[in-house]
Amino acid sequence: MKKMSVFCGLSFPAITCVFFVLVAFSPALGQKNSEWQEYRDISYSENMSGPVNDLQKLNLVVPAESDNMPLLIWIGGGAWSYGDRNIEMDLAHRFAESGIAVASVGHRLSPAVWHDATLKTGIQHPCHVEDVASAVAWLHKHAAEYGYDPDKFFIGGYSSGAHLAALISLDSSYLHKAGLSTDIFKGVIPISGAYDILSYYEGFLSGSSPELAELHVKAVFGENTETFAQASPTSYLQHLSAPLLVMCDNSLYNYTRLLEDRIRETAFRDVRVMYAYNLSHGQLWRNLSNDPNSMYRNAIVDFIRALSLPG
């Protein structure tokens, strides 16, 4: 089978795929520099039933010499099939240098025969978001141990991670099972995601790679398209409450615009939207992670700081 992209930036009716190389990292515990302390490969599955695998872990970066700092819970991208908490560490370090703790959350992955014919096994929705809920619960429980403030939780993600961040902040059922409420989040930061799974599915059907509607989308969300609404953040916009900072590259414009239009149909107005018209899917991720003066990362920092002020 022909290999396709690891990281897909999708727009309808045209579909553009952007290649990312996911580098295998050797886990290192307790790395630090003068500005942050890093803790890798923390299992968040202490209260989960069933077998646990190495994907159900998080990496935590905490600013040095700071107490009660905000925490950004970050879910990296990878089409729900290639998420790797370790490749998000440059981004985590950048935020830590700005006084924001970051948890890079891993989760179990879906099959991906569209990329590699041997990748026939994996999980489906809602296992990804259930893992994220378990990670949030662990982070809440251990806040005092690491020095971040449990009343200053933010959640965000890139690409498939944006979908998961938006979904867990809007569908309360996942955190409810973990003993928490969506009120735990002071702000939500989804970047370059797909928020209506039926539109995502139909975008493939009408695009240049219609086979991915089956091999990718249904591998992640199941065979019954009637379940797509249950997996869509747009189905829960009546629950919007936390301030929202939405960003998007030039490949995912239509999916983000759909979210923006649906929000306009509600009474909720505490939302900011930034479009990076000059950056592709991969370029915006690299800009956020590596550019020392990223205007998009600076906007996130300002958003978090403003909402973390007392009162």
Side-chain angles (χ1 to χ4, degrees):
M1 178 179 291
K2 180 182 178 182
K3 289 190 176 182
M4 296 187 182
S5 69
V6 182
F7 219 108
C8 284
L10 307 168
S11 59
F12 57 90
I15 297 183
T16 303
C17 286
V18 182
F19 282 86
F20 269 77
V21 176
L22 300 186
V23 181
F25 286 80
S26 298
L29 294 172
Q31 293 186 10
K32 67 183 298 183
N33 68 11
S34 61
E35 297 186 82
W36 44 259
Q37 172 76 54
E38 177 184 289
Y39 307 88
R40 288 207 181 196
D41 302 322
I42 300 171
S43 175
Y44 56 73
S45 57
E46 57 190 18
N47 296 320
M48 297 176 66
S49 60
V52 175
N53 66 44
D54 188 62
L55 297 170
Q56 293 169 300
K57 294 181 179 180
L58 60 84
N59 297 338
L60 182 62
V61 182
V62 180
E65 300 180 2
S66 181
D67 292 314
N68 299 318
M69 75 285 287
L71 174 71
L72 172 60
I73 301 166
W74 181 257
I75 312 157
W80 302 273
S81 303
Y82 291 91
D84 184 333
R85 64 187 180 273
N86 294 310
I87 68 167
E88 305 297 325
M89 297 312 291
D90 286 341
L91 179 145
H93 296 157
R94 294 286 187 183
F95 281 113
E97 290 165 1
S98 297
I100 299 167
V102 180
S104 178
V105 175
H107 58 75
R108 289 169 293 171
L109 303 173
S110 292
V113 295
W114 49 272
H115 172 69
D116 185 331
T118 67
L119 300 179
K120 298 178 181 180
T121 61
I123 53 87
Q124 288 185 335
H125 173 82
C127 292
H128 320 84
V129 69
E130 289 173 347
D131 283 357
V132 174
S134 295
V136 172
W138 188 95
L139 288 162
H140 190 264
K141 179 179 178 180
H142 293 272
E145 180 180 345
Y146 291 96
Y148 51 82
D149 191 335
D151 294 322
K152 298 176 183 176
F153 272 26
F154 296 79
I155 191 162
Y158 200 87
S159 196
S160 59
H163 162 266
L164 295 173
L167 183 61
I168 199 172
S169 73
L170 292 170
D171 180 353
S172 62
S173 64
Y174 302 107
L175 285 179
H176 180 74
K177 291 177 182 177
L180 297 171
S181 163
T182 54
D183 292 341
I184 195 174
F185 301 125
K186 298 281 286 185
V188 183
I189 310 161
I191 304 176
S192 292
Y195 309 103
D196 185 288
I197 303 305
L198 180 59
S199 292
Y200 186 66
Y201 175 77
E202 291 174 344
F204 281 110
L205 283 179
S206 63
S208 60
S209 301
E211 69 277 10
L212 291 184
E214 299 290 325
L215 295 177
H216 167 46
V217 183
K218 286 191 174 182
V220 175
F221 296 103
E223 289 293 326
N224 187 350
T225 58
E226 293 179 2
T227 66
F228 290 178
Q230 184 266 340
S232 297
T234 51
S235 296
Y236 308 96
L237 295 180
Q238 70 273 22
H239 300 149
L240 281 165
S241 59
L244 199 62
L245 174 60
V246 182
M247 293 184 180
C248 185
D249 61 81
N250 63 17
S251 301
L252 274 287
Y253 172 82
N254 283 321
Y255 293 112
T256 300
R257 182 59 186 271
L258 183 151
L259 175 65
E260 185 181 4
D261 289 345
R262 296 281 180 85
I263 292 174
R264 288 180 185 276
E265 296 172 1
T266 74
F268 185 77
R269 290 295 177 266
D270 198 353
V271 58
R272 303 151 181 80
V273 181
M274 293 182 67
Y275 288 103
Y277 295 113
N278 61 324
L279 298 178
S280 70
H281 198 56
Q283 287 172 337
L284 179 55
W285 181 80
R286 287 190 291 271
N287 178 282
L288 286 164
S289 301
N290 301 318
D291 190 325
N293 296 305
S294 169
M295 64 179 288
Y296 305 102
R297 191 178 64 249
N298 289 342
I300 297 172
V301 170
D302 291 344
F303 177 76
I304 292 173
R305 285 177 174 170
L307 292 171
S308 299
L309 294 174

